[in-house]
Amino acid sequence: MSAPAFLAEPQLERQPDAYGTISKAIEYLSVPGREEVDIAGLAHALSMSERQLVDLFRRWCGLTPKSFAQAVALNQARKLLRENMSVLDTTYEVGLSAPSRLHDLFVTYDAVPPGIYRARGAGLEFTWGYAPSPFGLAVIMMTQYGVAGISFADPGKEDYAFEDLASRWPNAEYRRDDAAVAPVAARIFDPNRWDPERPVRLVMIGSDFEVKVWETLLKIPTGGASTYGAIAKSLGRPSAARAVGRAVGRNPISFVVPCHRVIGSDGKLTGYHWGLVRKRAIMGWEAGLVSGA
């Protein structure tokens, strides 16, 4: 598998800066009527040369700016839905790969005992810290059971990213240790380290229904997409699309439990807790990963 060049470990520290420029490019590309990418105009808007712009995108996701724009366009989202209509009907064991899932991060997971969830984290000890990612600074929370939370911090809102996760389990204990989360972050965000022999261990802390929805999200392959209605149907509750939407919105383990792969039935990119710009960024990054594999 060939990963984007930027993922070489010495460059990981620069990811938040790279994402800042990428996010501005996505905002520019998101303006209605810009389906055809004006490379010169985009480069000018970002105070870059065309060569610098192309090089940035190739390092970040392995795609040209034009290919990236096409990967996150409405028509492409609709195409993904057509191609993945039956993806949730295909079962597989989490942590094992099928031929169509060779680009996936490998995970195993458990759910915490219901009593801990009802006690809002009482009895849990979280180690947490900030770490670089391709999508800006990430906050990662771990318990003795596994990774329990991943959020993203925009510049100046680093405290909010932590507090948003911690507010879900207000009775837990928290200890910051950036060094402890660094190797876990590297295994999560560097595809060269995605190894079925060393899956990332998750712990899901939520209601029974929420956990079922989050489990279902893990069935959507990298570069794929599904809808709230399709997830509800796969759970045997076809009228529960709104409830599925709420559960998707409360997913605490961003990126790894891929709530960003859930879109509207019309192909539109609906709300994402960490912003639609970041959702487009993750989907475009994954498209580059799949196309370059």
Side-chain angles (χ1 to χ4, degrees), residues 202-283:
L202 309 179
V203 57
M204 296 182 180
I205 307 173
S207 68
D208 289 344
F209 181 75
E210 287 173 340
V211 170
K212 288 178 181 178
V213 171
W214 302 339
E215 289 173 338
T216 305
L217 296 180
L218 290 171
K219 297 182 181 180
I220 308 172
T222 300
S226 189
T227 67
Y228 304 102
I231 293 172
K233 183 178 179 181
S234 75
L235 294 174
R237 297 181 59 179
S239 63
R242 288 183 180 274
V244 166
R246 289 191 292 270
V248 170
R250 282 191 53 78
N251 167 38
I253 313 177
S254 299
F255 182 73
V256 177
V257 178
C259 51
H260 58 274
R261 297 177 194 160
V262 184
I263 60 182
S265 58
D266 58 358
K268 291 183 179 178
L269 303 188
T270 51
Y272 182 61
H273 192 71
W274 303 106
L276 285 179
V277 168
R278 186 169 276 110
K279 182 170 184 170
R280 291 181 67 133
I282 297 174
M283 293 182 73

Side-chain angles (χ1 to χ4, degrees), residues 33-289:
R34 285 193 176 144
E35 286 78 9
E36 292 297 324
V37 182
D38 175 10
I39 300 299
L42 175 57
H44 178 75
L46 297 175
S47 301
M48 303 173 73
S49 70
E50 292 183 42
R51 177 62 181 272
Q52 288 173 323
L53 177 66
V54 172
D55 286 349
L56 173 66
F57 268 87
R58 285 198 179 279
R59 289 196 309 273
W60 186 75
C61 67
L63 297 175
T64 65
K66 182 176 181 179
S67 295
F68 177 88
Q70 292 171 341
V72 296
L74 179 60
N75 286 340
Q76 174 62 14
R78 288 171 174 161
K79 180 173 179 285
L80 284 177
L81 289 181
R82 290 194 300 269
E83 292 175 349
N84 289 274
M85 283 182 64
S86 63
V87 68
L88 296 179
D89 296 328
T90 303
T91 58
Y92 68 96
E93 291 188 41
V94 174
L96 300 179
S97 176
S100 62
R101 304 187 64 92
L102 296 178
H103 329 288
D104 282 1
L105 172 65
F106 299 91
V107 303
T108 59
Y109 65 87
D110 286 314
V112 299
I116 293 179
Y117 167 68
R118 289 193 295 269
R120 307 186 73 188
L124 288 178
E125 296 181 359
F126 285 88
T127 298
W128 73 278
Y130 296 106
S133 87
F135 319 109
L137 196 65
V139 174
I140 296 181
M141 288 190 172
M142 306 183 302
T143 73
Q144 59 268 43
Y145 303 104
V147 175
I150 299 176
S151 64
F152 295 105
D154 291 318
K157 297 182 179 180
E158 292 83 1
D159 289 345
Y160 170 76
F162 163 73
E163 292 166 359
D164 180 84
L165 285 178
S167 67
R168 300 163 187 261
W169 314 295
N171 297 328
E173 299 290 331
Y174 294 92
R175 178 178 65 89
R176 180 176 174 179
D177 188 340
D178 292 354
V181 306
V184 177
R187 288 176 56 204
I188 289 171
F189 293 114
D190 183 350
N192 289 315
R193 300 191 183 194
W194 294 355
D195 183 355
E197 300 300 322
R198 296 187 63 215
V200 174
R201 187 168 185 80
L202 309 179
V203 57
M204 296 182 180
I205 307 173
S207 68
D208 289 344
F209 181 75
E210 287 173 340
V211 170
K212 288 178 181 178
V213 171
W214 302 339
E215 289 173 338
T216 305
L217 296 180
L218 290 171
K219 297 182 181 180
I220 308 172
T222 300
S226 189
T227 67
Y228 304 102
I231 293 172
K233 183 178 179 181
S234 75
L235 294 174
R237 297 181 59 179
S239 63
R242 288 183 180 274
V244 166
R246 289 191 292 270
V248 170
R250 282 191 53 78
N251 167 38
I253 313 177
S254 299
F255 182 73
V256 177
V257 178
C259 51
H260 58 274
R261 297 177 194 160
V262 184
I263 60 182
S265 58
D266 58 358
K268 291 183 179 178
L269 303 188
T270 51
Y272 182 61
H273 192 71
W274 303 106
L276 285 179
V277 168
R278 186 169 276 110
K279 182 170 184 170
R280 291 181 67 133
I282 297 174
M283 293 182 73
W285 184 89
E286 289 185 338
L289 184 65

